[in-house]
């Protein structure tokens, strides 16, 4: 008999009933150090008092307002995002997948309005992940996600990750946009070198194609800058954001330049819940905390500390781990042992990590993890590796 919850997830036998900071607790009191943070969602930890306050204050005033009306919390968050980024305008969604949908629509509408309706192709890269909608799986293109779900949304061109020569050849008169994650998450914590991102920007400019960055996982302070592309000193035309921006409340966004967004006029897109007051009140508080130089400096300091300890862990367990990779607090341990078994060994020791492709385990702790918890994290991972 089918389970009452559609069985699309293979879940670990863990049931958490509460959380505080970087820790989650099961009903029997067993505590787990959460280095997954809901896959980069709980960016400010569990039950963060500032976010609880923002949410409950908003909840006592108004929960939902249709986008038929002005929504002050949405305006506040949009202004903050525009103020701190390349963007001139923002559309709010409920998830990263929906951000991907709009990014694709926006790029195609841009060219349609420019009188070049044939420019519909979107170039993407192997190992990428942009969500599970029809556009999202067509964009990523991997058989694992697309098999059985055809016919796929047409107009996606797939290149190998890192293939700049291929990009040079693929950019043509039918290209609408290039989509790339500055640091691949699901693909196994694979950063795009700064030089490559710069080269992509230049290639897009030469062709006219829009550059869409998917910062759903690597954005919102995760790499130690507010957005990962800032390290490379380039800006996109369109950017997808989600996960950390809501700190655990469902929220996503598409940020764009005025030029890239020029086709999106009244009636061209919409969402019932997108930009909901509860989500935006929390999002505005998350932005206030994360988009602060002192906070980001701490993320970088902690990232350095964690990375240094992880390098030690890798050298102590050469049979389990191969290397540390990633950026900021978006780190991956490339495993020699089977990554899912390392994750399981972590469960036995009370530490949560997340598997990714390329036999990697992901460490995406809350950005405000304490130094003490970083020390405990590596001790628990050390015990897990010793147990393998
Ligand atoms: C880079 C990236 N893009 C898009 C998505 C889809 O986001 P969501 O699951 O919120 O729809 C994810 C989710 O893991 C992601 O990591």
């Amino acid at each position: 008999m089918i389970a009452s919850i559609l069985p699309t997830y293979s879940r670990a036998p863990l049931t958490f009933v509460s959380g505080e900071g970087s820790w989650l607790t099961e009903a029997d009191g067993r505590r787990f150090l959460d280095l997954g943070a809901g896959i980069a969602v709980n960016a400010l930890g569990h039950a963060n008092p500032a976010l609880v306050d923002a949410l409950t204050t908003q909840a006592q005033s108004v929960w939902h307002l249709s986008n038929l009306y002005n929504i002050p919390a949405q305006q506040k968050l949009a202004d903050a995002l525009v103020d701190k980024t390349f963007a001139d305008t923002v559309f709010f969604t409920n998830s990263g997948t929906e951000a991907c949908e709009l990014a694709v629509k926006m790029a195609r509408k841009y060219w349609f309005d420019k009188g070049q309706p044939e420019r519909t192709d979107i170039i993407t890269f192997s190992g990428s992940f942009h969500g599970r909608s029809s556009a999202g799986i067509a964009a990523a293109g991997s058989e694992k996600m697309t098999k059985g779900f055809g016919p796929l949304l047409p107009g996606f061109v797939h290149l190998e990750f890192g293939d700049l020569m291929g990009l040079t050849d693929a950019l043509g008169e039918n290209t609408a946009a290039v989509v790339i994650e500055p640091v691949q998450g699901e693909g196994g914590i694979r950063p795009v070198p700064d030089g490559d991102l710069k080269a992509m920007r230049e290639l897009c400019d030469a062709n006219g194609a829009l550059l869409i960055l998917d910062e759903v996982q690597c954005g919102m302070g995760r790499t130690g800058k507010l957005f990962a592309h800032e390290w490379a000193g380039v800006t996109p035309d369109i950017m997808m954001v989600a996960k950390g921006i809501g700190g655990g409340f469902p929220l996503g966004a598409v940020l764009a330049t005025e030029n890239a967004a020029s086709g999106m006029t009244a009636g061209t897109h919409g969402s019932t819940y997108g930009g909901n007051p509860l989500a935006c009140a929390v999002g505005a508080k998350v932005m206030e905390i994360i988009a602060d130089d002192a906070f980001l400096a701490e993320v970088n300091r902690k990232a350095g500390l964690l990375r240094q300890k992880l390098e030690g862990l890798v050298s102590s367990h050469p049979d389990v781990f191969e290397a540390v990779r990633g950026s900021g607090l978006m780190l991956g341990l490339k495993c020699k042992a089977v990554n899912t078994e390392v994750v399981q060994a972590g469960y036995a020791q009370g530490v949560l990590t997340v598997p990714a492709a390329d036999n990697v385990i992901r460490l995406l702790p809350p950005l405000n993890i304490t130094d003490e918890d970083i020390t405990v994290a590596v001790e628990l991972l050390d015990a897990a590796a010793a147990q393998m």
Side-chain angles (χ1 to χ4, degrees), residues 127 144 184-190 314 317-325 331-344 353-363 388:
K144 195 175 140 205
Q184 280 193 352
E186 306 300 311
I189 311 292
R190 295 197 292 178
V314 170
H317 299 279
D319 44 338
V320 179
F321 301 116
E322 206 172 296
V324 188
R325 64 197 200 195
L331 293 170
L333 286 170
K334 167 88 173 154
C335 296
K336 272 214 186 110
V338 178
N339 63 344
T340 49
E341 289 176 13
V342 181
V343 171
Q344 298 240 356
T353 59
V354 184
D358 201 24
N359 205 32
V360 161
I361 66 170
R362 270 177 282 179
L363 311 185
M388 293 287 299

Coordinates of all heavy atoms in Angstrom, one line a residue, residues 127 144 184-190 314 317-325 331-344 353-363 388:
G127 N 25.7 18.6 -14.3 CA 25.8 18.6 -12.8 C 25.0 19.7 -12.2 O 25.0 19.8 -10.9
K144 N 18.7 11.3 -14.7 CA 18.2 10.9 -13.4 C 16.9 11.8 -13.1 O 15.9 11.3 -12.5 CB 19.2 11.3 -12.3 CG 19.0 10.7 -11.0 CD 20.2 11.0 -10.1 CE 19.7 11.3 -8.7 NZ 20.6 12.1 -7.9
Q184 N 28.2 25.0 -7.7 CA 27.2 23.9 -7.8 C 27.0 23.3 -6.5 O 27.9 22.9 -5.8 CB 27.6 22.9 -8.8 CG 27.4 23.2 -10.3 CD 27.5 22.0 -11.2 OE1 27.9 21.0 -10.8 NE2 27.1 22.3 -12.5
G185 N 25.7 23.1 -6.1 CA 25.4 22.5 -4.8 C 25.1 21.0 -4.9 O 26.0 20.2 -4.6
E186 N 24.0 20.7 -5.5 CA 23.6 19.3 -5.7 C 24.7 18.6 -6.5 O 24.9 17.4 -6.3 CB 22.3 19.1 -6.4 CG 21.1 19.9 -5.8 CD 20.8 19.5 -4.3 OE1 20.7 18.3 -4.1 OE2 20.7 20.4 -3.5
G187 N 25.3 19.3 -7.4 CA 26.4 18.7 -8.3 C 27.6 18.3 -7.6 O 28.5 17.7 -8.2
G188 N 27.7 18.6 -6.3 CA 28.9 18.2 -5.5 C 29.8 19.3 -5.1 O 31.0 19.1 -5.0
I189 N 29.3 20.5 -4.7 CA 30.1 21.6 -4.2 C 31.2 21.9 -5.2 O 32.4 21.7 -4.9 CB 30.6 21.4 -2.8 CG1 29.4 21.0 -1.9 CG2 31.2 22.7 -2.3 CD1 28.4 22.0 -1.6
R190 N 30.8 22.3 -6.4 CA 31.8 22.6 -7.4 C 31.8 24.0 -7.8 O 30.9 24.5 -8.5 CB 31.6 21.7 -8.7 CG 31.7 20.2 -8.5 CD 31.9 19.5 -9.7 NE 30.7 19.5 -10.6 CZ 30.6 18.9 -11.8 NH1 31.6 18.3 -12.3 NH2 29.4 18.9 -12.4
V314 N 40.7 15.3 6.9 CA 41.0 14.6 5.7 C 42.3 13.9 5.8 O 42.5 12.7 5.5 CB 41.0 15.5 4.4 CG1 41.5 14.8 3.2 CG2 39.5 16.0 4.2
H317 N 42.1 10.8 8.0 CA 41.3 9.7 7.5 C 41.4 9.5 6.0 O 40.4 9.7 5.3 CB 39.8 9.8 7.9 CG 39.6 9.9 9.4 ND1 39.6 8.8 10.2 CD2 39.5 11.0 10.2 CE1 39.4 9.2 11.4 NE2 39.4 10.5 11.5
P318 N 42.6 9.3 5.5 CA 42.8 9.2 4.0 C 42.0 8.1 3.3 O 41.8 8.2 2.1 CB 44.3 9.0 3.9 CG 44.8 8.5 5.2 CD 43.9 9.0 6.2
D319 N 41.6 7.1 4.2 CA 40.8 6.0 3.6 C 39.3 6.4 3.4 O 38.6 5.8 2.7 CB 40.9 4.8 4.4 CG 40.8 5.1 5.9 OD1 41.0 6.3 6.3 OD2 40.4 4.2 6.7
V320 N 38.9 7.5 4.2 CA 37.5 7.9 4.1 C 37.3 9.1 3.2 O 36.4 9.2 2.5 CB 37.0 8.2 5.6 CG1 35.5 8.6 5.5 CG2 37.1 7.0 6.4
F321 N 38.2 10.1 3.4 CA 38.1 11.4 2.7 C 39.3 11.6 1.7 O 40.4 11.1 2.0 CB 38.1 12.5 3.7 CG 37.0 12.5 4.7 CD1 37.3 12.3 6.1 CD2 35.6 12.5 4.3 CE1 36.2 12.2 7.0 CE2 34.6 12.5 5.2 CZ 34.9 12.3 6.6
E322 N 38.9 12.4 0.7 CA 40.0 12.6 -0.3 C 40.4 14.1 -0.3 O 41.6 14.4 -0.3 CB 39.4 12.3 -1.7 CG 40.4 12.0 -2.7 CD 39.7 11.5 -4.0 OE1 39.0 10.4 -3.9 OE2 39.7 12.2 -5.0
A323 N 39.4 15.0 -0.2 CA 39.8 16.5 -0.2 C 38.6 17.3 0.3 O 37.5 16.8 0.4 CB 40.0 16.8 -1.7
V324 N 38.9 18.5 0.7 CA 37.9 19.5 1.0 C 37.8 20.5 -0.2 O 38.8 20.8 -0.8 CB 38.4 20.4 2.2 CG1 37.2 21.3 2.7 CG2 38.9 19.6 3.3
R325 N 36.5 20.8 -0.5 CA 36.4 21.8 -1.5 C 35.2 22.7 -1.2 O 34.4 22.4 -0.4 CB 36.3 21.2 -2.9 CG 35.1 20.3 -3.1 CD 35.3 19.4 -4.3 NE 34.1 18.9 -4.9 CZ 34.1 17.9 -5.7 NH1 35.3 17.3 -6.1 NH2 33.0 17.4 -6.2
L331 N 30.8 24.0 2.0 CA 32.0 23.1 1.9 C 31.6 21.7 1.5 O 30.5 21.2 1.9 CB 32.8 23.1 3.2 CG 33.4 24.5 3.5 CD1 34.0 24.5 4.8 CD2 34.5 24.8 2.4
G332 N 32.4 21.0 0.8 CA 32.2 19.6 0.4 C 33.4 18.8 0.8 O 34.5 19.3 0.8
L333 N 33.1 17.6 1.3 CA 34.2 16.6 1.6 C 34.1 15.6 0.5 O 33.1 14.8 0.5 CB 34.1 16.0 3.0 CG 34.4 16.8 4.2 CD1 34.0 16.2 5.4 CD2 35.9 17.1 4.2
K334 N 35.0 15.6 -0.4 CA 35.1 14.5 -1.4 C 35.5 13.2 -0.7 O 36.5 13.2 0.0 CB 36.0 14.9 -2.5 CG 36.4 13.8 -3.5 CD 35.4 13.8 -4.7 CE 35.9 12.8 -5.7 NZ 34.9 12.2 -6.5
C335 N 34.7 12.2 -0.9 CA 34.9 11.0 -0.1 C 35.6 9.9 -0.9 O 35.5 9.9 -2.2 CB 33.6 10.4 0.4 SG 32.7 11.5 1.5
K336 N 36.4 9.1 -0.2 CA 36.9 7.8 -0.8 C 35.9 6.7 -0.5 O 35.6 5.9 -1.3 CB 38.3 7.5 -0.3 CG 39.4 8.2 -1.0 CD 40.6 7.3 -1.0 CE 41.7 8.1 -1.7 NZ 42.8 8.5 -0.7
A337 N 35.4 6.7 0.8 CA 34.4 5.8 1.1 C 33.1 6.2 0.4 O 33.0 7.3 -0.2 CB 34.2 5.8 2.6
V338 N 32.0 5.4 0.5 CA 30.7 5.8 -0.1 C 30.1 7.0 0.7 O 29.9 6.8 1.9 CB 29.8 4.6 -0.2 CG1 28.5 5.0 -0.8 CG2 30.4 3.5 -0.9
N339 N 29.8 8.1 0.0 CA 29.4 9.3 0.7 C 28.1 9.0 1.6 O 28.1 9.5 2.7 CB 29.2 10.5 -0.2 CG 28.1 10.2 -1.3 OD1 27.6 9.1 -1.5 ND2 27.7 11.3 -1.9
T340 N 27.2 8.3 1.1 CA 26.0 8.1 1.9 C 26.3 7.3 3.2 O 25.6 7.5 4.2 CB 24.9 7.3 1.1 OG1 25.5 6.2 0.4 CG2 24.3 8.2 0.0
E341 N 27.3 6.4 3.1 CA 27.7 5.7 4.3 C 28.4 6.6 5.3 O 28.2 6.4 6.5 CB 28.6 4.5 3.9 CG 27.8 3.4 3.2 CD 28.7 2.3 2.7 OE1 29.9 2.2 3.2 OE2 28.2 1.5 1.9
V342 N 29.1 7.6 4.8 CA 29.7 8.6 5.7 C 28.6 9.4 6.4 O 28.7 9.7 7.6 CB 30.7 9.5 5.0 CG1 31.4 10.5 5.9 CG2 31.8 8.7 4.2
V343 N 27.6 9.8 5.6 CA 26.5 10.5 6.2 C 25.8 9.7 7.3 O 25.5 10.2 8.4 CB 25.5 10.9 5.1 CG1 24.2 11.5 5.7 CG2 26.1 11.9 4.1
Q344 N 25.6 8.4 7.0 CA 25.0 7.5 8.0 C 25.8 7.4 9.3 O 25.3 7.4 10.4 CB 24.8 6.1 7.4 CG 23.9 6.2 6.2 CD 22.7 5.3 6.4 OE1 22.6 4.6 7.4 NE2 21.8 5.3 5.5
T353 N 25.0 15.7 7.9 CA 25.6 16.3 6.7 C 24.7 15.8 5.6 O 23.7 15.1 5.8 CB 27.0 15.8 6.5 OG1 27.0 14.3 6.4 CG2 27.9 16.2 7.6
V354 N 24.9 16.3 4.4 CA 24.0 16.1 3.2 C 24.8 15.5 2.1 O 25.8 16.1 1.7 CB 23.3 17.4 2.8 CG1 22.3 17.1 1.7 CG2 22.6 18.1 3.9
P355 N 24.4 14.4 1.5 CA 25.2 13.9 0.4 C 24.9 14.7 -0.9 O 23.9 15.4 -1.0 CB 24.6 12.4 0.2 CG 23.3 12.4 0.8 CD 23.3 13.5 1.9
A356 N 25.9 14.7 -1.8 CA 25.7 15.4 -3.1 C 26.3 14.5 -4.2 O 26.9 13.5 -3.8 CB 26.4 16.7 -3.1
A357 N 26.2 14.9 -5.4 CA 26.8 14.1 -6.5 C 28.3 14.1 -6.4 O 28.9 14.8 -5.6 CB 26.3 14.7 -7.8
D358 N 28.9 13.3 -7.2 CA 30.4 13.2 -7.2 C 31.0 12.7 -5.9 O 32.1 13.0 -5.6 CB 31.0 14.6 -7.6 CG 32.4 14.4 -8.2 OD1 32.7 13.4 -8.7 OD2 33.2 15.4 -8.1
N359 N 30.2 11.8 -5.2 CA 30.6 11.2 -4.0 C 31.1 12.2 -2.9 O 32.2 12.0 -2.3 CB 31.7 10.1 -4.2 CG 31.8 9.1 -3.2 OD1 30.8 8.8 -2.5 ND2 33.0 8.6 -2.9
V360 N 30.4 13.3 -2.8 CA 30.7 14.3 -1.8 C 29.7 14.4 -0.7 O 28.5 14.0 -0.9 CB 30.7 15.7 -2.6 CG1 30.6 16.9 -1.7 CG2 32.0 15.8 -3.5
I361 N 30.1 14.8 0.5 CA 29.2 15.1 1.5 C 29.3 16.7 1.7 O 30.4 17.2 1.7 CB 29.3 14.4 2.9 CG1 30.6 14.7 3.6 CG2 29.2 12.9 2.7 CD1 30.7 14.2 5.0
R362 N 28.1 17.2 1.9 CA 28.0 18.7 1.9 C 27.9 19.2 3.4 O 27.2 18.6 4.2 CB 26.8 19.2 1.3 CG 26.9 19.5 -0.2 CD 25.6 20.0 -0.8 NE 24.7 18.8 -1.0 CZ 23.5 19.0 -1.5 NH1 23.0 20.2 -1.8 NH2 22.7 17.9 -1.8
L363 N 28.7 20.2 3.7 CA 28.6 20.9 5.0 C 28.1 22.3 4.7 O 28.8 23.1 4.1 CB 30.0 20.9 5.7 CG 30.8 19.6 5.8 CD1 32.0 19.8 6.6 CD2 29.9 18.5 6.4
M388 N 33.9 4.2 10.4 CA 33.7 3.6 9.1 C 34.5 2.3 8.9 O 35.6 2.2 9.2 CB 34.2 4.6 8.0 CG 33.3 5.9 7.9 SD 31.7 5.6 7.2 CE 32.1 5.0 5.6

